[in-house]
PDB file of all heavy atoms in Angstrom:
ATOM      1  N   ALA R   1       0.837  -1.206   0.000  1.00 71.00           N
ATOM      2  CA  ALA R   1       0.000   0.000   0.000  1.00 71.00           C
ATOM      3  C   ALA R   1       0.867   1.249   0.000  1.00 71.00           C
ATOM      4  O   ALA R   1       0.594   2.233  -0.716  1.00 71.00           O
ATOM      5  CB  ALA R   1      -0.925  -0.011   1.224  1.00 71.00           C
ATOM      6  N   LEU R   2       1.918   1.212   0.814  1.00 70.00           N
ATOM      7  CA  LEU R   2       2.849   2.347   0.826  1.00 70.00           C
ATOM      8  C   LEU R   2       3.524   2.500  -0.524  1.00 70.00           C
ATOM      9  O   LEU R   2       3.684   3.618  -1.051  1.00 70.00           O
ATOM     10  CB  LEU R   2       3.891   2.133   1.930  1.00 70.00           C
ATOM     11  CG  LEU R   2       4.963   3.212   2.093  1.00 70.00           C
ATOM     12  CD1 LEU R   2       4.323   4.533   2.507  1.00 70.00           C
ATOM     13  CD2 LEU R   2       6.004   2.784   3.129  1.00 70.00           C
ATOM     14  N   SER R   3       3.921   1.384  -1.139  1.00 71.00           N
ATOM     15  CA  SER R   3       4.580   1.425  -2.448  1.00 71.00           C
ATOM     16  C   SER R   3       3.655   1.961  -3.533  1.00 71.00           C
ATOM     17  O   SER R   3       4.075   2.701  -4.421  1.00 71.00           O
ATOM     18  CB  SER R   3       5.065   0.024  -2.814  1.00 71.00           C
ATOM     19  OG  SER R   3       5.596  -0.009  -4.118  1.00 71.00           O
ATOM     20  N   ALA R   4       2.374   1.601  -3.474  1.00 73.00           N
ATOM     21  CA  ALA R   4       1.419   2.082  -4.485  1.00 73.00           C
ATOM     22  C   ALA R   4       1.312   3.602  -4.455  1.00 73.00           C
ATOM     23  O   ALA R   4       1.279   4.271  -5.504  1.00 73.00           O
ATOM     24  CB  ALA R   4       0.053   1.446  -4.241  1.00 73.00           C
ATOM     25  N   ALA R   5       1.260   4.156  -3.252  1.00 70.00           N
ATOM     26  CA  ALA R   5       1.198   5.617  -3.140  1.00 70.00           C
ATOM     27  C   ALA R   5       2.482   6.255  -3.667  1.00 70.00           C
ATOM     28  O   ALA R   5       2.447   7.284  -4.368  1.00 70.00           O
ATOM     29  CB  ALA R   5       0.957   6.017  -1.682  1.00 70.00           C
ATOM     30  N   HIS R   6       3.626   5.638  -3.381  1.00 71.00           N
ATOM     31  CA  HIS R   6       4.904   6.167  -3.870  1.00 71.00           C
ATOM     32  C   HIS R   6       4.985   6.100  -5.391  1.00 71.00           C
ATOM     33  O   HIS R   6       5.530   7.000  -6.026  1.00 71.00           O
ATOM     34  CB  HIS R   6       6.057   5.392  -3.224  1.00 71.00           C
ATOM     35  CG  HIS R   6       6.430   5.905  -1.870  1.00 71.00           C
ATOM     36  ND1 HIS R   6       7.645   6.486  -1.606  1.00 71.00           N
ATOM     37  CD2 HIS R   6       5.731   5.960  -0.697  1.00 71.00           C
ATOM     38  CE1 HIS R   6       7.692   6.857  -0.327  1.00 71.00           C
ATOM     39  NE2 HIS R   6       6.530   6.536   0.243  1.00 71.00           N
ATOM     40  N   ASN R   7       4.467   5.028  -5.973  1.00 73.00           N
ATOM     41  CA  ASN R   7       4.496   4.900  -7.438  1.00 73.00           C
ATOM     42  C   ASN R   7       3.698   6.015  -8.105  1.00 73.00           C
ATOM     43  O   ASN R   7       4.117   6.586  -9.122  1.00 73.00           O
ATOM     44  CB  ASN R   7       3.944   3.544  -7.860  1.00 73.00           C
ATOM     45  CG  ASN R   7       4.907   2.417  -7.550  1.00 73.00           C
ATOM     46  OD1 ASN R   7       6.115   2.636  -7.402  1.00 73.00           O
ATOM     47  ND2 ASN R   7       4.392   1.191  -7.462  1.00 73.00           N
ATOM     48  N   LEU R   8       2.522   6.313  -7.544  1.00 71.00           N
ATOM     49  CA  LEU R   8       1.710   7.395  -8.111  1.00 71.00           C
ATOM     50  C   LEU R   8       2.448   8.729  -8.022  1.00 71.00           C
ATOM     51  O   LEU R   8       2.430   9.534  -8.967  1.00 71.00           O
ATOM     52  CB  LEU R   8       0.371   7.485  -7.381  1.00 71.00           C
ATOM     53  CG  LEU R   8      -0.600   6.319  -7.588  1.00 71.00           C
ATOM     54  CD1 LEU R   8      -1.826   6.503  -6.711  1.00 71.00           C
ATOM     55  CD2 LEU R   8      -1.008   6.201  -9.055  1.00 71.00           C
ATOM     56  N   LEU R   9       3.084   8.972  -6.906  1.00 70.00           N
ATOM     57  CA  LEU R   9       3.809  10.232  -6.730  1.00 70.00           C
ATOM     58  C   LEU R   9       5.028  10.303  -7.642  1.00 70.00           C
ATOM     59  O   LEU R   9       5.370  11.372  -8.151  1.00 70.00           O
ATOM     60  CB  LEU R   9       4.233  10.377  -5.262  1.00 70.00           C
ATOM     61  CG  LEU R   9       3.097  10.701  -4.294  1.00 70.00           C
ATOM     62  CD1 LEU R   9       3.538  10.483  -2.857  1.00 70.00           C
ATOM     63  CD2 LEU R   9       2.622  12.139  -4.492  1.00 70.00           C
ATOM     64  N   THR R  10       5.678   9.184  -7.851  1.00 72.00           N
ATOM     65  CA  THR R  10       6.861   9.172  -8.725  1.00 72.00           C
ATOM     66  C   THR R  10       6.479   9.525 -10.150  1.00 72.00           C
ATOM     67  O   THR R  10       7.213  10.228 -10.851  1.00 72.00           O
ATOM     68  CB  THR R  10       7.534   7.790  -8.680  1.00 72.00           C
ATOM     69  OG1 THR R  10       7.909   7.508  -7.335  1.00 72.00           O
ATOM     70  CG2 THR R  10       8.767   7.766  -9.567  1.00 72.00           C
ATOM     71  N   ARG R  11       5.310   9.028 -10.605  1.00 74.00           N
ATOM     72  CA  ARG R  11       4.866   9.364 -11.962  1.00 74.00           C
ATOM     73  C   ARG R  11       4.678  10.867 -12.130  1.00 74.00           C
ATOM     74  O   ARG R  11       4.859  11.411 -13.214  1.00 74.00           O
ATOM     75  CB  ARG R  11       3.545   8.655 -12.273  1.00 74.00           C
ATOM     76  CG  ARG R  11       3.683   7.153 -12.404  1.00 74.00           C
ATOM     77  CD  ARG R  11       2.433   6.559 -13.043  1.00 74.00           C
ATOM     78  NE  ARG R  11       2.291   5.158 -12.699  1.00 74.00           N
ATOM     79  CZ  ARG R  11       1.282   4.656 -12.013  1.00 74.00           C
ATOM     80  NH1 ARG R  11       0.309   5.449 -11.589  1.00 74.00           N
ATOM     81  NH2 ARG R  11       1.216   3.361 -11.751  1.00 74.00           N
ATOM     82  N   ARG R  12       4.294  11.521 -11.063  1.00 70.00           N
ATOM     83  CA  ARG R  12       4.093  12.976 -11.109  1.00 70.00           C
ATOM     84  C   ARG R  12       5.295  13.733 -10.553  1.00 70.00           C
ATOM     85  O   ARG R  12       5.196  14.912 -10.236  1.00 70.00           O
ATOM     86  CB  ARG R  12       2.845  13.359 -10.314  1.00 70.00           C
ATOM     87  CG  ARG R  12       1.545  12.877 -10.925  1.00 70.00           C
ATOM     88  CD  ARG R  12       0.399  13.685 -10.377  1.00 70.00           C
ATOM     89  NE  ARG R  12      -0.888  13.301 -10.930  1.00 70.00           N
ATOM     90  CZ  ARG R  12      -2.012  13.988 -10.724  1.00 70.00           C
ATOM     91  NH1 ARG R  12      -1.959  15.086  -9.982  1.00 70.00           N
ATOM     92  NH2 ARG R  12      -3.145  13.593 -11.245  1.00 70.00           N
ATOM     93  N   ARG R  13       6.429  13.048 -10.457  1.00 70.00           N
ATOM     94  CA  ARG R  13       7.672  13.660  -9.977  1.00 70.00           C
ATOM     95  C   ARG R  13       7.492  14.285  -8.597  1.00 70.00           C
ATOM     96  O   ARG R  13       8.045  15.334  -8.291  1.00 70.00           O
ATOM     97  CB  ARG R  13       8.180  14.705 -10.970  1.00 70.00           C
ATOM     98  CG  ARG R  13       8.512  14.126 -12.337  1.00 70.00           C
ATOM     99  CD  ARG R  13       9.072  15.179 -13.259  1.00 70.00           C
ATOM    100  NE  ARG R  13       9.391  14.602 -14.567  1.00 70.00           N
ATOM    101  CZ  ARG R  13       9.913  15.271 -15.580  1.00 70.00           C
ATOM    102  NH1 ARG R  13      10.151  16.567 -15.444  1.00 70.00           N
ATOM    103  NH2 ARG R  13      10.178  14.674 -16.719  1.00 70.00           N
ATOM    104  N   TRP R  14       6.661  13.652  -7.796  1.00 69.00           N
ATOM    105  CA  TRP R  14       6.435  14.072  -6.416  1.00 69.00           C
ATOM    106  C   TRP R  14       5.901  15.498  -6.311  1.00 69.00           C
ATOM    107  O   TRP R  14       6.186  16.224  -5.365  1.00 69.00           O
ATOM    108  CB  TRP R  14       7.707  13.913  -5.581  1.00 69.00           C
ATOM    109  CG  TRP R  14       7.949  12.482  -5.215  1.00 69.00           C
ATOM    110  CD1 TRP R  14       8.535  11.543  -6.007  1.00 69.00           C
ATOM    111  CD2 TRP R  14       7.581  11.820  -4.014  1.00 69.00           C
ATOM    112  NE1 TRP R  14       8.558  10.333  -5.369  1.00 69.00           N
ATOM    113  CE2 TRP R  14       7.992  10.470  -4.131  1.00 69.00           C
ATOM    114  CE3 TRP R  14       6.960  12.231  -2.837  1.00 69.00           C
ATOM    115  CZ2 TRP R  14       7.789   9.541  -3.125  1.00 69.00           C
ATOM    116  CZ3 TRP R  14       6.763  11.302  -1.829  1.00 69.00           C
ATOM    117  CH2 TRP R  14       7.174   9.962  -1.979  1.00 69.00           C
ATOM    118  N   THR R  15       5.153  15.903  -7.329  1.00 75.00           N
ATOM    119  CA  THR R  15       4.505  17.213  -7.262  1.00 75.00           C
ATOM    120  C   THR R  15       3.123  17.123  -6.629  1.00 75.00           C
ATOM    121  O   THR R  15       2.543  18.146  -6.270  1.00 75.00           O
ATOM    122  CB  THR R  15       4.357  17.812  -8.668  1.00 75.00           C
ATOM    123  OG1 THR R  15       3.595  16.900  -9.491  1.00 75.00           O
ATOM    124  CG2 THR R  15       5.714  18.035  -9.312  1.00 75.00           C
ATOM    125  N   GLY R  16       2.583  15.907  -6.501  1.00 81.00           N
ATOM    126  CA  GLY R  16       1.262  15.716  -5.925  1.00 81.00           C
ATOM    127  C   GLY R  16       0.642  14.458  -6.495  1.00 81.00           C
ATOM    128  O   GLY R  16       1.200  13.801  -7.375  1.00 81.00           O
ATOM    129  N   VAL R  17      -0.537  14.103  -6.005  1.00 84.00           N
ATOM    130  CA  VAL R  17      -1.229  12.905  -6.486  1.00 84.00           C
ATOM    131  C   VAL R  17      -2.722  13.192  -6.482  1.00 84.00           C
ATOM    132  O   VAL R  17      -3.264  13.843  -5.583  1.00 84.00           O
ATOM    133  CB  VAL R  17      -0.897  11.688  -5.594  1.00 84.00           C
ATOM    134  CG1 VAL R  17      -1.329  11.928  -4.148  1.00 84.00           C
ATOM    135  CG2 VAL R  17      -1.537  10.427  -6.143  1.00 84.00           C
ATOM    136  N   GLY R  18      -3.411  12.720  -7.525  1.00 87.00           N
ATOM    137  CA  GLY R  18      -4.854  12.893  -7.597  1.00 87.00           C
ATOM    138  C   GLY R  18      -5.560  11.982  -6.598  1.00 87.00           C
ATOM    139  O   GLY R  18      -5.211  10.798  -6.451  1.00 87.00           O
ATOM    140  N   LEU R  19      -6.588  12.510  -5.911  1.00 88.00           N
ATOM    141  CA  LEU R  19      -7.297  11.725  -4.904  1.00 88.00           C
ATOM    142  C   LEU R  19      -7.993  10.527  -5.547  1.00 88.00           C
ATOM    143  O   LEU R  19      -7.977   9.420  -4.998  1.00 88.00           O
ATOM    144  CB  LEU R  19      -8.315  12.612  -4.176  1.00 88.00           C
ATOM    145  CG  LEU R  19      -9.191  11.904  -3.136  1.00 88.00           C
ATOM    146  CD1 LEU R  19      -8.333  11.208  -2.087  1.00 88.00           C
ATOM    147  CD2 LEU R  19     -10.137  12.905  -2.477  1.00 88.00           C
ATOM    148  N   GLY R  20      -8.567  10.729  -6.718  1.00 86.00           N
ATOM    149  CA  GLY R  20      -9.279   9.638  -7.383  1.00 86.00           C
ATOM    150  C   GLY R  20      -8.366   8.466  -7.714  1.00 86.00           C
ATOM    151  O   GLY R  20      -8.693   7.303  -7.435  1.00 86.00           O
ATOM    152  N   GLU R  21      -7.195   8.747  -8.330  1.00 87.00           N
ATOM    153  CA  GLU R  21      -6.293   7.659  -8.674  1.00 87.00           C
ATOM    154  C   GLU R  21      -5.678   7.019  -7.426  1.00 87.00           C
ATOM    155  O   GLU R  21      -5.381   5.819  -7.411  1.00 87.00           O
ATOM    156  CB  GLU R  21      -5.189   8.167  -9.605  1.00 87.00           C
ATOM    157  CG  GLU R  21      -4.331   9.280  -9.036  1.00 87.00           C
ATOM    158  CD  GLU R  21      -3.289   9.763 -10.042  1.00 87.00           C
ATOM    159  OE1 GLU R  21      -3.086   9.088 -11.073  1.00 87.00           O
ATOM    160  OE2 GLU R  21      -2.659  10.820  -9.785  1.00 87.00           O
ATOM    161  N   LEU R  22      -5.523   7.796  -6.360  1.00 86.00           N
ATOM    162  CA  LEU R  22      -5.014   7.231  -5.111  1.00 86.00           C
ATOM    163  C   LEU R  22      -6.025   6.228  -4.537  1.00 86.00           C
ATOM    164  O   LEU R  22      -5.645   5.122  -4.116  1.00 86.00           O
ATOM    165  CB  LEU R  22      -4.755   8.358  -4.104  1.00 86.00           C
ATOM    166  CG  LEU R  22      -4.263   7.914  -2.719  1.00 86.00           C
ATOM    167  CD1 LEU R  22      -2.878   7.302  -2.796  1.00 86.00           C
ATOM    168  CD2 LEU R  22      -4.270   9.090  -1.740  1.00 86.00           C
ATOM    169  N   LEU R  23      -7.305   6.593  -4.541  1.00 86.00           N
ATOM    170  CA  LEU R  23      -8.337   5.689  -4.026  1.00 86.00           C
ATOM    171  C   LEU R  23      -8.452   4.436  -4.889  1.00 86.00           C
ATOM    172  O   LEU R  23      -8.597   3.322  -4.369  1.00 86.00           O
ATOM    173  CB  LEU R  23      -9.682   6.418  -3.964  1.00 86.00           C
ATOM    174  CG  LEU R  23      -9.756   7.605  -2.987  1.00 86.00           C
ATOM    175  CD1 LEU R  23     -11.111   8.298  -3.091  1.00 86.00           C
ATOM    176  CD2 LEU R  23      -9.494   7.154  -1.552  1.00 86.00           C
ATOM    177  N   ASP R  24      -8.375   4.616  -6.219  1.00 86.00           N
ATOM    178  CA  ASP R  24      -8.451   3.455  -7.107  1.00 86.00           C
ATOM    179  C   ASP R  24      -7.327   2.469  -6.829  1.00 86.00           C
ATOM    180  O   ASP R  24      -7.528   1.247  -6.814  1.00 86.00           O
ATOM    181  CB  ASP R  24      -8.388   3.908  -8.565  1.00 86.00           C
ATOM    182  CG  ASP R  24      -9.667   4.620  -9.008  1.00 86.00           C
ATOM    183  OD1 ASP R  24     -10.698   4.419  -8.336  1.00 86.00           O
ATOM    184  OD2 ASP R  24      -9.615   5.365 -10.002  1.00 86.00           O
ATOM    185  N   SER R  25      -6.108   2.990  -6.622  1.00 84.00           N
ATOM    186  CA  SER R  25      -4.967   2.101  -6.402  1.00 84.00           C
ATOM    187  C   SER R  25      -5.085   1.330  -5.090  1.00 84.00           C
ATOM    188  O   SER R  25      -4.642   0.180  -4.989  1.00 84.00           O
ATOM    189  CB  SER R  25      -3.670   2.908  -6.432  1.00 84.00           C
ATOM    190  OG  SER R  25      -3.573   3.773  -5.297  1.00 84.00           O
ATOM    191  N   GLN R  26      -5.679   1.941  -4.059  1.00 83.00           N
ATOM    192  CA  GLN R  26      -5.770   1.291  -2.754  1.00 83.00           C
ATOM    193  C   GLN R  26      -6.998   0.379  -2.637  1.00 83.00           C
ATOM    194  O   GLN R  26      -6.999  -0.561  -1.829  1.00 83.00           O
ATOM    195  CB  GLN R  26      -5.811   2.349  -1.646  1.00 83.00           C
ATOM    196  CG  GLN R  26      -4.584   3.230  -1.570  1.00 83.00           C
ATOM    197  CD  GLN R  26      -3.316   2.461  -1.214  1.00 83.00           C
ATOM    198  OE1 GLN R  26      -3.381   1.328  -0.712  1.00 83.00           O
ATOM    199  NE2 GLN R  26      -2.169   3.061  -1.491  1.00 83.00           N
TER     200      GLN R  26
END
């Protein structure tokens, strides 16, 4: 779960993460 959140942030170069895609991944 921690890795999934990190992967989303890495795609956006750690500028932020969309709430919708974060919920979908978890």
Side-chain angles (χ1 to χ4, degrees):
L2 180 64
S3 175
H6 276 246
N7 287 338
L8 292 175
L9 287 166
T10 301
R11 291 194 203 117
R12 292 200 179 189
R13 298 183 180 181
W14 283 82
T15 58
V17 60
L19 177 56
E21 59 182 348
L22 178 67
L23 296 176
D24 289 340
S25 69
Q26 298 296 343

